[in-house]
Amino acid sequence: MRPILGCEEVARLEDCIEAEGTTKASLMELAGEFTASVVSATKPKHVLVLVGFGNNGGDGWVAADVLAHNGIAVDVVSPVEPDEIPAALSRHVARRTAGRDVNVVVGPSRDELSELISQADVVVDAILGTGFHGSLRPPFSIWIPTVNELAPEVVSVDVPSGLNAQTGVVEHDCIRATRTATMLAPKIGLYSADGPDYAGEVIYGKLYDRLDEVIDDVDHAAEMVEPADLIDFLAPLPSNIDKYSRGSVLVVAGSSTYPGAAMMAAKAAARAGAGYVAVAAPATCANLIRMALPSVPVIDIPADSRGAFGAAARRVVCETAKKFSCVLCGPGITTAAGCIDVVSGLLEIDVPLVLDADALNCLSKLSIGGLDKTPELYRREAPLVLTPHYRELSRLVASDAVADLGSAIEAAQRLLWAAGSDDFIVVAKGPVTAVAGVEKVLLPLSGPASLSTAGTGDVLSGILAGTLALNHGYDGPWELLCSYAVSLHSLTGFIAAERYGEKSVIATDLIDVIGDAMALAEEEALKGLSEGDAASGVKGA
């Protein structure tokens, strides 16, 4: 897994490295060399480097020097003369580079900048670094839109200029990078809010050859799950397995209004590997689900007058649930009084439990002032997985502030730390999904935009439940097991988008390609293992 850091942690990491004997001046040289290597990979003949006032600009000056030394024509655009750069390290390397075979242009007009961009194969963005926040000021508020309009290819140094490296928010304008060459570790803002839209391909350079020895000395905002990390979940089934030893799932879902949610979740659980899947649904829609899923037993549960779980449902559901390896509750159940009773009853049972969709909304109704204020409602001995999207997570913590990856992680951690259970996981669903546990936050593979359609969350919850059932007895980190399920779901999105077109994918398309996703996950994991054996210390994201 690859650590992802916040801005404060990056600064602390640099201090740790300096304490070990590698100066910040040396790190700047290494960062510039790494940037030059990323640029050189495209075999450009002419490169334009835009530099700012700080150390990010210093990285750009070093990169310009290296590129020129390698025989590439280089122009450097600076807002001030090299002698006037305020940051001491950057001023030193700027003076050195300006005295060599590069063309330095200070404070160009927009027309002059446009002409320089038109002559370049690649533009290097070394304007603003991880310390930037707020709005752009001249000349950068002129440079950035000009680059976005005219540059054929852009490599950003560390983060695209204009992006808040902590939150991922773009307040005014931001470089749209083809690639971002980030140093030491990826920054959390590259994956949050607007970050993925502006960062392009994220490539990172370790820079420091003993990085693995010191990076755990600082907190990680999250860790990126790589394909090889999931290899243990991709082993073939043993020959002596049967439907019971493969694990069983009870899907407590559906209503007369939303019977399809139960169907999708149950079928996805079965496709994900569970040996036995049953559905507990209100009697008013049970026959409809039975006809749609002939291989899945359906248990009639007492219903209310609107076709949701009724007052007598809690006892029947909870008695049935005790017989299963895992229970999934929530898809399509509504938030009727009987549904709230079912959710609270299942939380009291000693069985792994996945709460999704309306089960989360029922939890929100049960709590006062936020679920984290009433941890006794959800604190339990058996594993618990919550799967909220941002709006559901906002309701769970009684806040409207959950709008991006960073705030989603913070909200998830409020719930986790209030309960304090090692087997409690929050899968915070969004453009980049975070799998948060008490000890760590993992970022599994993110799916395509084609997943942003109704019902795909029901499929994910089914994959999660099927995965937990198949791996019953698992004693490793639950964050990793849930990340495997999220990665499978993302892969189904990519496969379905390729098959049907990005805008034409519907939730049911995902279910029938779960097996294809497993095969692709295995292929990527084996590839990752082989690449890891031959790794040279520089990896791409």
Side-chain angles (χ1 to χ4, degrees), residues 246 249 251 260-275 277 279 293 295-296 328 331 455-470 485 488-489 492 507-515 518:
R246 279 177 65 166
V249 175
V251 177
M263 299 173 193
M264 289 187 288
K267 192 171 181 181
R271 290 286 193 202
V277 178
V279 174
L293 301 174
S295 63
V296 175
L328 163 61
T456 58
D458 301 324
V459 176
L460 173 58
S461 65
I463 293 174
L464 271 164
T467 297
L468 267 58
L470 181 61
L488 278 187
H489 182 251
T492 65
T508 50
D509 296 333
L510 309 178
I511 299 170
D512 291 334
V513 298
I514 292 173
M518 289 178 175

Side-chain angles (χ1 to χ4, degrees), residues 301-371:
I301 305 297
D304 65 11
S305 60
R306 296 186 178 182
F309 290 122
R314 172 176 172 146
R315 180 185 61 80
V316 180
V317 169
C318 291
E319 284 300 314
T320 304
K322 295 173 183 177
K323 305 171 186 176
F324 287 80
S325 306
C326 179
V327 175
L328 163 61
C329 177
I333 65 173
T334 79
T335 57
C339 302
I340 295 174
D341 283 346
V342 166
V343 172
S344 62
L346 287 172
L347 283 166
E348 298 173 6
I349 296 174
D350 188 22
V351 61
L353 178 62
V354 179
L355 295 183
D356 180 50
D358 277 332
L360 301 173
N361 296 326
C362 289
L363 265 185
S364 299
K365 288 179 175 289
L366 281 168
S367 61
I368 299 174
L371 189 61

Side-chain angles (χ1 to χ4, degrees), residues 191-483:
Y191 304 98
S192 181
D194 304 309
D197 288 333
Y198 288 89
E201 179 188 5
V202 178
I203 306 171
Y204 84 101
K206 280 187 164 182
L207 305 189
Y208 179 57
D209 58 6
R210 294 168 55 202
L211 182 63
D212 294 340
E213 298 175 20
V214 298
I215 199 164
D216 287 335
D217 292 342
V218 301
D219 292 334
H220 300 169
E223 295 181 26
M224 181 69 71
V225 177
E226 299 181 297
D229 297 324
L230 305 174
I231 191 67
D232 289 344
F233 306 117
L234 296 163
L237 296 172
S239 58
N240 62 345
I241 202 167
D242 60 36
K243 65 181 178 182
Y244 300 107
S245 57
R246 279 177 65 166
S248 56
V249 175
L250 177 66
V251 177
V252 182
S255 61
S256 292
T257 307
Y258 305 112
M263 299 173 193
M264 289 187 288
K267 192 171 181 181
R271 290 286 193 202
Y276 186 89
V277 178
V279 174
T284 49
C285 64
N287 276 337
L288 183 61
I289 297 170
R290 230 177 245 118
M291 288 187 290
L293 301 174
S295 63
V296 175
V298 181
I299 303 160
D300 292 47
I301 305 297
D304 65 11
S305 60
R306 296 186 178 182
F309 290 122
R314 172 176 172 146
R315 180 185 61 80
V316 180
V317 169
C318 291
E319 284 300 314
T320 304
K322 295 173 183 177
K323 305 171 186 176
F324 287 80
S325 306
C326 179
V327 175
L328 163 61
C329 177
I333 65 173
T334 79
T335 57
C339 302
I340 295 174
D341 283 346
V342 166
V343 172
S344 62
L346 287 172
L347 283 166
E348 298 173 6
I349 296 174
D350 188 22
V351 61
L353 178 62
V354 179
L355 295 183
D356 180 50
D358 277 332
L360 301 173
N361 296 326
C362 289
L363 265 185
S364 299
K365 288 179 175 289
L366 281 168
S367 61
I368 299 174
L371 189 61
D372 54 312
K373 301 296 193 300
T374 52
E376 64 276 5
L377 285 175
Y378 63 100
R379 186 182 288 130
R380 64 203 302 267
E381 294 298 323
L384 173 64
V385 180
L386 307 184
T387 62
H389 55 59
Y390 290 171
R391 290 190 184 90
E392 291 164 343
L393 188 52
S394 296
R395 290 192 284 269
L396 286 173
V397 297
S399 169
D400 59 0
V402 180
D404 53 50
L405 178 62
S407 57
I409 290 173
E410 290 176 8
Q413 288 175 330
R414 284 170 56 183
L415 297 172
L416 290 157
W417 293 340
S421 171
D422 290 338
D423 293 341
F424 176 30
I425 301 295
V426 178
V427 178
K429 299 183 294 191
V432 175
T433 293
V435 178
V438 173
E439 294 295 329
K440 62 176 63 178
V441 178
L442 301 185
L443 303 184
L445 175 70
S446 296
S450 57
L451 291 177
S452 58
T453 188
T456 58
D458 301 324
V459 176
L460 173 58
S461 65
I463 293 174
L464 271 164
T467 297
L468 267 58
L470 181 61
N471 293 276
H472 62 282
Y474 174 75
D475 60 358
W478 280 80
E479 297 95 332
L480 191 58
L481 181 59
C482 292
S483 292

